[in-house]
Amino acid sequence: MSGGHFDYQQYRIEDIARSIEELIKGNDDEELNEWGFCRGSGYSAETIEKFKTAVDTLRKAAVMAQRVDWLVSGDDGEDSFHDRWVKELKEIKL
């Protein structure tokens, strides 16, 4: 595996983004959990939009951290760093 400068912590950023996506998906779930409460949180549309912004920002941060990691670890040169930075940030989908 390449990189390692940040002890691979950039992958935790993506984990957080996925967790927030799960909160978004389950927000309106009215099924009851084992304690008798709705599974969904019922956050407002405005709050869910902020969650979506957070997911997008975290995904970008994960890519940026990965690119820096590979550069400073010697896995990429500066040209690759710049090329991959642009390419991978464009590929992010919310």
Side-chain angles (χ1 to χ4, degrees):
M1 181 176 260
S2 296
H5 183 79
F6 302 122
D7 294 324
Y8 308 103
Q9 292 299 306
Q10 62 268 32
Y11 297 108
R12 290 288 300 133
I13 300 169
E14 179 59 32
D15 290 343
I16 295 168
R18 280 194 295 271
S19 292
I20 295 171
E21 279 185 322
E22 290 303 314
L23 291 170
I24 293 167
K25 289 176 188 172
N27 186 58
D28 297 324
D29 186 351
E30 294 182 5
E31 184 178 331
L32 300 181
N33 64 19
E34 58 269 24
W35 300 285
F37 297 104
C38 285
R39 292 186 184 277
S41 299
Y43 292 119
S44 69
E46 180 181 13
T47 298
I48 292 300
E49 286 304 311
K50 299 289 189 215
F51 281 19
K52 290 177 182 179
T53 299
V55 169
D56 182 58
T57 301
L58 288 163
R59 290 241 158 87
K60 289 175 182 174
V63 165
M64 292 173 182
Q66 178 77 356
R67 297 288 34 105
V68 171
D69 182 36
W70 279 33
L71 175 64
V72 300
S73 295
D75 296 304
D76 278 347
E78 285 190 66
D79 288 340
S80 294
F81 168 80
H82 291 285
D83 291 343
R84 288 182 177 187
W85 179 284
V86 171
K87 179 182 179 286
E88 292 177 18
L89 287 175
K90 283 182 183 177
E91 292 172 352
I92 294 174
K93 295 181 176 77
L94 183 60

